[in-house]
Amino acid sequence: MAFQREVVSIFVDNQANVLSRVVSLYGRRGFNIDSLTVSATNNPEVSRITIVFHGDEQTLDQIISQTEKLEVVRDVFRLTPDESVFRELLLMKVVVGKESRSSLKEIVDIYRGKIIDLSKESLIIEMTGEPGKLDAFMEMMSCYDVVEVCRTGMTAIGRGLRK
């Protein structure tokens, strides 16, 4: 049984306790959620939950079927890399001295990030992109003194007119 990363987009009623109801369903079924984001949509009555987890085809079908049965759920979509756009936001604080500023700026530029805060002893980098890009950037930064990292978790949307 091969486990693979799955990304599911769930449209739910925008009301109290919806997130806890959806997440507890995944927890009761033994799924470990790798990433979770919740956002508003163009309809104020609907929110979008994006959940990333690992599973096989059978368990994916099962959890989608169970999610669709929740009365607060309007629709559930499986998002695949070839038919969707995945993005994540990373904020990283790095200790920096005069001697390492230019080399850090070069790396940030190569990865198309931004330095959004600079002080005498540190800088904060902002970067958006696919999770793999952010992972590669973090690996590149491992030889620097990284003080703090914050990642939003993945958000995704279907290409074209797909939801």
Side-chain angles (χ1 to χ4, degrees):
M1 182 178 341
F3 286 98
Q4 58 194 29
R5 181 182 76 174
E6 302 294 346
V7 181
V8 177
S9 184
I10 306 166
F11 288 86
V12 296
D13 293 336
N14 187 11
Q15 62 187 40
N17 295 322
V18 170
L19 179 61
S20 64
R21 292 173 73 186
V22 172
V23 169
S24 67
L25 172 70
Y26 279 71
R28 286 192 313 269
R29 301 297 183 266
F31 287 99
N32 182 39
I33 294 174
D34 298 327
S35 174
L36 172 71
T37 59
V38 182
S39 61
T41 66
N42 54 323
N43 180 347
E45 297 176 2
V46 179
S47 293
R48 175 194 298 259
I49 300 173
T50 304
I51 299 179
V52 180
F53 63 96
H54 282 77
D56 61 22
E57 195 67 37
Q58 181 183 358
T59 55
L60 174 65
D61 293 341
Q62 185 180 50
I63 196 67
I64 286 176
S65 173
Q66 292 168 354
T67 303
E68 288 173 332
K69 291 177 184 175
L70 293 172
E71 67 275 359
V72 294
V73 172
R74 294 181 178 215
D75 224 337
V76 180
F77 298 95
R78 177 181 180 190
L79 299 174
T80 59
D82 56 331
E83 297 177 348
S84 308
V85 175
F86 299 155
R87 290 294 182 267
E88 195 172 343
L89 170 68
L90 165 77
L91 296 175
M92 178 183 284
K93 187 184 298 181
V94 182
V95 173
V96 63
K98 288 181 186 178
E99 64 285 344
S100 58
R101 273 197 189 112
S102 61
S103 63
L104 274 170
K105 181 166 178 6
E106 269 184 50
I107 295 169
V108 170
D109 288 346
I110 288 169
Y111 281 89
R112 295 187 179 138
K114 296 179 192 172
I115 296 173
I116 59 170
D117 184 68
L118 178 63
S119 69
K120 291 180 182 178
E121 64 277 342
S122 70
L123 58 82
I124 298 175
I125 301 161
E126 173 188 76
M127 186 173 299
T128 59
E130 293 184 358
K133 171 189 169 184
L134 301 185
D135 292 340
F137 176 73
M138 287 182 65
E139 176 65 29
M140 179 62 72
M141 296 300 294
S142 65
C143 58
Y144 291 92
D145 188 4
V146 176
V147 177
E148 199 172 347
V149 173
C150 181
R151 288 176 78 162
T152 59
M154 188 187 311
T155 191
I157 194 166
R159 294 182 187 276
L161 294 179
R162 273 195 68 189
K163 289 188 178 181

